[in-house]
Amino acid sequence: MAYESVRIKNHINGEWLDESNGQYAPLRNPSTGQVIGEVPLSSQQTSSAAVAAAAEAYPGWSALPLPKRMDYLFKMYQAMKDNQEDLAISIAVDQAKHIAEARGEVGRVIEILQMACTIPALIQGETVQGIANNINGRLIKAPLGVFCGVAPFNFPALVFGWFIPFAIGTGNTFVYKPSTESPLFMQKMMQLLVDIGLPQGVVNIVHGDRQVVEAWYEDENVAGVCLVGSTPTAKAIAEGCGRSGKKTMLLGGAKNFLVAMEDAPMDLMIENILMSGYGSAGQRCLAVSNIAVVAEIYDEFVERLLEASKNLTLGDAMDPDVFMGPLISSHAKEKVMEYIRIGEESGATLALDGRNPTLPAANQEGYFVGPTVFTDVTPCMQIAREEIFGPVLSVMKVGCIDGALRMIRNHEMGNGAVIFTQNSYYTEKFINEADVGMIGVNVGICAPHPYLPFGGIKGSLVGNNKVQGKDAIDFFTQNKVATVRVVNPKGSNTQAKPADSNVRSCVAS
Ligand code: NAD
């Protein structure tokens, strides 16, 4: 399919702008390799100008009565529903996420917006009446100012949903840097925000690479930075923000386990592995990557997995009849091919080789690697330890659930893990002992619903804050506590009794 070439623009203080330094990177359709546009590689000056615009918008925006701010979130929700297909197509083109999955991603953001529309209930503070004579205590959740956010290439819509509705709904303003590899969603989404009348400067978009982010570290107008990306990037941002004491919410990389017990519902499990391991060509933070199978069913499992994996069709992400689209770039393809080579060298059995897959004529130049399965993998092999971010599965044999739990515990990452079993003892043990942030039972992907927080632990999360749910409210607000003595203007207030030590300490401080 041919696409009209597009020049991506920044959006600062209500205006669509070309990048003044004139530097642009080509934007490609990974399904074909074809150049479909160009993305600004914005300068630090441009990044700072966006922060200045957000800072200028902040006093007016944060002073807006809460119901009026919520009005904008309701309009945002409706605009997304009305434009769901267009938004999904934007992701299917530049990120080459299969169109069905792209629709799913946009649908999930709409659910997140429903959750964000409950901010008036979630942002309520606390009051303690009568902490001493005529003195009350009150906790309020206040906005902080300007937040900045950085997105990975693989969830351009979802990460918008995790950051922006919660940040601005709680009264902050925002600067957002999409990935240069998937900027189209935000181009469309920002226009929808303009169309609903969001005041200028409340949300600003700056495209580019790390330079854009590095401009925020020493900027005193920036209250905090959030990222969804790889762990090295999360650590780099933590370091930059740590120096200047900014708040951070940093979700990192992953290496997720699936544990198959002897009573696993086999058909359901295989179906889920195909979706979870090969969906988005394995480029998901919740993709199944390591599969620990108990010895009793190991041979049967491998046979079934190979049978199901070998005939999956690859092709253009916009074609609903193909199962799997491409990787994001030629660089990503090279990286995955290199891991396949490493896996072979390390002694694992390459039971299904996805290099050189069969492709439609129009997709010969796309960045495809087909489903790949290694068996006889051991937990210390590089392919079992590192995030490959491609459709490559590593199958390992374990003696019992304890062996699988030990592998999970010893792994540096801790994003998600799932178990397939019908046994409630295994289920409860797994929920209690799997050392990860998100757990699934008989589901391939354990993404929590927007009402609950989303995020890993260990190397998959830098710092403490997770996205979604009440965690998002905590991140985008600060707790302030007021101690209020009520004084009767006519002077007849009951005076504090000297014997009342609580009152004495309040008066003293
Ligand atoms: P990445 O870390 O390369 O880039 C993410 C973003 O950070 C991009 O916008 C990039 O321009 C920017 N960036 C890169 N290096 C930077 C630096 N040194 N300083 C500041 N900014 C920098 O990640 P990616 O390849 O775009 O996305 C894939 C990664 O994201 C995988 O590791 C995946 O597991 C992770 N991810 C995690 C989750 C989660 O929920 N934990 C969700 C989606 C993706």
Side-chain angles (χ1 to χ4, degrees):
M1 207 182 288
Y3 297 97
E4 233 175 83
S5 180
V6 57
R7 172 172 258 220
I8 302 291
K9 293 185 183 234
N10 292 325
H11 190 90
I12 300 174
N13 209 18
E15 279 187 85
W16 288 109
L17 299 169
D18 284 324
E19 170 49 26
S20 51
N21 72 7
Q23 287 187 22
Y24 283 77
L27 176 65
R28 292 179 191 276
N29 175 354
S31 293
T32 59
Q34 181 197 1
V35 175
I36 53 169
E38 52 182 2
V39 199
L41 294 175
S42 303
S43 65
Q44 297 212 334
Q45 285 83 342
T46 303
S47 181
S48 303
V51 172
E56 204 180 318
Y58 174 68
W61 178 251
S62 56
L64 208 61
L66 187 53
K68 291 212 185 313
R69 284 209 303 269
M70 285 305 110
D71 251 2
Y72 288 107
L73 291 201
F74 283 116
K75 284 181 189 156
M76 203 189 285
Y77 166 82
Q78 194 56 48
M80 283 200 81
K81 280 192 91 164
D82 294 344
N83 293 276
Q84 200 164 348
E85 186 64 8
D86 250 16
L87 292 167
I89 289 172
S90 70
I91 302 170
V93 171
D94 64 6
Q95 195 223 307
K97 182 170 279 181
H98 189 285
I99 183 65
E101 293 176 53
R103 288 181 185 125
E105 181 179 346
V106 177
R108 174 48 72 99
V109 182
I110 290 170
E111 289 177 355
I112 292 175
L113 269 162
Q114 284 178 349
M115 162 68 187
C117 288
T118 68
I119 282 174
L122 298 172
I123 206 173
Q124 290 174 16
E126 298 164 19
T127 305
V128 184
Q129 290 288 111
I131 50 173
N133 289 338
N134 297 320
I135 296 182
N136 302 323
R138 188 157 81 227
L139 179 149
I140 56 174
K141 290 192 158 302
L144 285 93
V146 178
F147 275 91
C148 299
V150 191
F153 76 82
N154 67 329
F155 277 106
L158 189 63
V159 174
F160 155 82
W162 280 343
F163 294 168
I164 292 182
F166 293 100
I168 69 170
T170 49
N172 305 283
T173 54
F174 210 86
V175 178
Y176 190 55
K177 188 196 91 59
S179 165
T180 49
E181 290 173 315
S182 56
L184 278 179
F185 168 83
M186 211 48 226
Q187 198 79 0
K188 288 194 185 296
M189 192 65 225
M190 188 66 232
Q191 187 55 49
L192 295 181
L193 300 186
V194 172
D195 295 345
I196 64 168
L198 191 72
Q200 64 186 46
V202 173
V203 174
N204 305 273
I205 310 298
V206 183
H207 295 276
D209 55 23
R210 55 190 283 182
Q211 281 212 39
V212 170
V213 182
E214 285 164 359
W216 301 335
Y217 298 156
E218 302 299 330
D219 192 325
E220 61 187 23
N221 279 323
V222 174
V225 177
C226 36
L227 161 90
V228 176
S230 62
T231 300
T233 303
K235 287 183 176 165
I237 294 179
E239 208 182 309
C241 288
R243 282 198 300 271
S244 49
K246 300 192 190 312
K247 248 184 143 174
T248 52
M249 175 167 73
L250 307 166
L251 270 60
K255 187 79 179 174
N256 306 304
F257 277 82
L258 180 145
V259 177
M261 298 308 297
E262 64 276 9
D263 62 345
M266 188 66 84
D267 292 345
L268 178 72
M269 180 166 67
I270 297 289
E271 190 189 319
N272 274 271
I273 290 174
L274 300 188
M275 288 310 298
S276 174
Y278 308 138
S280 294
Q283 302 170 113
R284 282 199 199 123
C285 65
L286 283 178
V288 161
S289 178
N290 285 342
I291 304 182
V293 188
V294 291
E296 289 97 309
I297 59 162
Y298 186 85
D299 291 341
E300 182 199 352
F301 171 79
V302 168
E303 194 184 322
R304 291 283 306 272
L305 177 65
L306 294 176
E307 191 53 36
S309 303
K310 70 183 182 198
N311 293 323
L312 296 175
T313 50
L314 276 70
D316 198 297
M318 284 294 291
D319 180 349
D321 294 330
V322 305
F323 183 84
M324 208 176 112
L327 293 157
I328 186 69
S329 62
S330 58
H331 174 72
K333 179 177 169 181
E334 276 162 29
K335 184 179 149 201
V336 173
M337 304 274 269
E338 176 63 7
Y339 271 113
I340 298 175
R341 193 191 60 72
I342 290 170
E344 271 185 304
E345 253 183 34
S346 62
T349 306
L350 182 55
L352 182 63
D353 186 354
R355 295 172 289 192
N356 306 313
T358 307
L359 295 170
N363 300 105
Q364 294 296 326
E365 301 302 318
Y367 314 127
F368 292 87
V369 175
T372 299
V373 179
F374 280 104
T375 55
D376 307 317
V377 176
T378 59
C380 46
M381 287 180 183
Q382 204 176 334
I383 53 168
R385 301 218 65 80
E386 295 177 9
E387 184 176 38
I388 300 175
F389 227 49
V392 180
L393 299 176
S394 296
V395 185
M396 308 175 212
K397 194 184 282 184
V398 288
C400 60
I401 189 167
D402 288 311
L405 284 166
R406 205 164 28 248
M407 282 181 187
I408 295 172
R409 195 160 42 247
N410 290 339
H411 203 284
E412 192 188 328
M413 296 293 178
N415 212 41
V418 301
I419 188 168
F420 277 76
T421 182
Q422 300 171 56
N423 178 310
S424 60
Y425 168 74
Y426 290 152
T427 300
E428 293 306 316
K429 187 174 171 68
F430 193 76
I431 292 171
N432 286 330
E433 295 180 27
D435 203 13
V436 297
M438 294 174 279
I439 295 169
V441 179
N442 296 322
V443 293
I445 300 170
C446 48
H449 192 271
Y451 296 146
L452 297 167
F454 183 115
I457 57 174
K458 300 192 287 185
S460 297
L461 184 74
V462 177
N464 299 312
N465 283 100
K466 300 189 177 188
V467 298
Q468 294 187 167
K470 291 180 191 157
D471 284 40
I473 308 293
D474 287 342
F475 179 68
F476 290 116
T477 59
Q478 55 192 334
N479 288 344
K480 290 167 69 176
V481 176
T483 303
V484 181
R485 164 171 282 151
V486 182
V487 178
N488 185 334
K490 293 189 177 150
S492 65
N493 246 48
T494 312
Q495 285 305 304
K497 294 183 194 124
D500 184 334
S501 61
N502 264 350
V503 175
R504 268 218 304 276
S505 65
C506 271
V507 172
S509 55

